[in-house]
Amino acid sequence: MKKGLMLVVSGPAGSGKGTVNAMLLEREDFAFSVSATTRAPRPGEVDGVNYHYITREEFLSRIDSGDMLEYTEYCGNFYGTPLREAEEVMQSGKNLILEIEVEGARNVKAKYPDAVLVLLLPPSYSEQEARLRGRGTETEDKILLRLARAKEEVALADCYDYVVYNFDGKARDAADQILSIVEAEKLSIRRNPDVAKNYLNA
Ligand code: 5GP
């Protein structure tokens, strides 16, 4: 059984990464890395499905015991990827989707150079602002904070391997493009170093 790929999908608030990732997760060969966070659940979010909701103390103690593959503080809350769960999923052959922000993505690439980093963007910054306000789940303060953060994130786009745009009503196209990226990565010579040996001895 070949180990699954580690696929980071980052996108600023309003990029539609939840929708696009849900489409990838319709497939049996993809699994979602359920992060731990200290932020409160939003309406409709479920503990253990969207996130593991834990206290700040618990989070800090899990960092200390080396349980986090990566973590960050984002808009006042901690977010992190549980290490053991991630390893188990990839060992089972599934591609693991890490829906994390840019600092986490950079840390992942430093630790796992084989990870594939995709930046998912709305068509433009003004479109992003419109989407965020239309969502109506956040206060104005939080929207402004997330927009400011989005500007910082896009400025760091050079640490990613690929950029995919999520146009209105075209989430399926964005998901298909990410699938193509994964397929191409799996066929890369870099990931198939023994081509000649395997070919000649088959
Ligand atoms: P939200 O509060 O909107 O669910 O997430 C805020 C940001 O934190 C998003 O950009 C999301 O992708 C990111 N995030 C979620 N989980 C993790 C994680 O485990 N690590 C890092 N570095 N970022 C995360």
Side-chain angles (χ1 to χ4, degrees):
M1 167 88 65
K2 240 187 153 176
K3 205 177 166 187
L5 217 90
M6 185 182 286
L7 176 68
V8 170
V9 181
S10 300
S15 62
K17 58 185 179 301
T19 308
V20 170
N21 285 339
M23 288 173 173
L24 294 173
L25 291 163
E26 287 166 2
R27 297 172 52 103
E28 278 189 356
D29 52 343
F30 281 82
F32 185 67
S33 162
V34 181
S35 294
T37 185
T38 59
R39 93 148 156 72
R42 291 196 191 114
E45 287 184 347
V46 178
D47 190 22
V49 175
N50 303 91
Y51 284 104
H52 300 291
Y53 300 95
I54 62 177
T55 63
R56 225 177 152 81
E57 293 67 41
E58 217 173 324
F59 201 102
L60 295 175
S61 109
R62 290 188 64 177
I63 296 172
D64 278 350
S65 30
D67 281 356
M68 294 293 177
L69 186 154
E70 61 74 39
Y71 69 92
T72 195
E73 199 168 0
Y74 177 96
C75 298
N77 287 301
F78 280 112
Y79 295 81
T81 304
L83 175 64
R84 193 169 44 83
E85 284 174 38
E87 281 297 343
E88 280 172 8
V89 170
M90 289 186 296
Q91 285 302 343
S92 78
K94 292 192 186 218
N95 304 309
L96 181 70
I97 300 178
L98 271 60
E99 196 182 292
I100 64 178
E101 52 62 69
V102 64
E103 196 185 321
R106 289 174 93 98
N107 292 336
V108 164
K109 195 70 173 180
K111 224 166 161 178
Y112 296 79
D114 270 357
V116 179
L117 270 54
V118 175
L119 180 62
L120 184 73
L121 288 179
S124 66
Y125 182 74
S126 57
E127 175 65 24
Q128 179 188 5
E129 193 169 356
R131 284 185 189 177
L132 266 188
R133 293 190 194 285
R135 188 156 91 178
T137 54
E138 245 104 7
T139 60
E140 181 64 18
D141 279 2
K142 285 207 169 138
I143 290 176
L144 291 176
L145 200 63
R146 279 167 188 262
L147 283 170
R149 179 73 187 219
K151 273 191 181 163
E152 287 169 28
E153 280 186 325
V154 84
L156 298 170
D158 61 349
C159 76
Y160 288 86
D161 299 304
Y162 299 92
V163 61
V164 170
Y165 293 95
N166 187 10
F167 293 95
D168 271 349
K170 300 282 182 193
R172 180 66 63 182
D173 290 353
D176 284 346
Q177 285 179 350
I178 297 177
L179 271 181
S180 305
I181 290 167
V182 168
E183 291 306 316
E185 282 287 338
K186 286 197 163 164
L187 295 172
S188 68
I189 291 291
R190 187 166 51 92
R191 288 181 202 275
N192 295 276
D194 297 324
V195 173
K197 197 173 92 194
N198 293 340
Y199 181 70
L200 296 172
N201 296 326

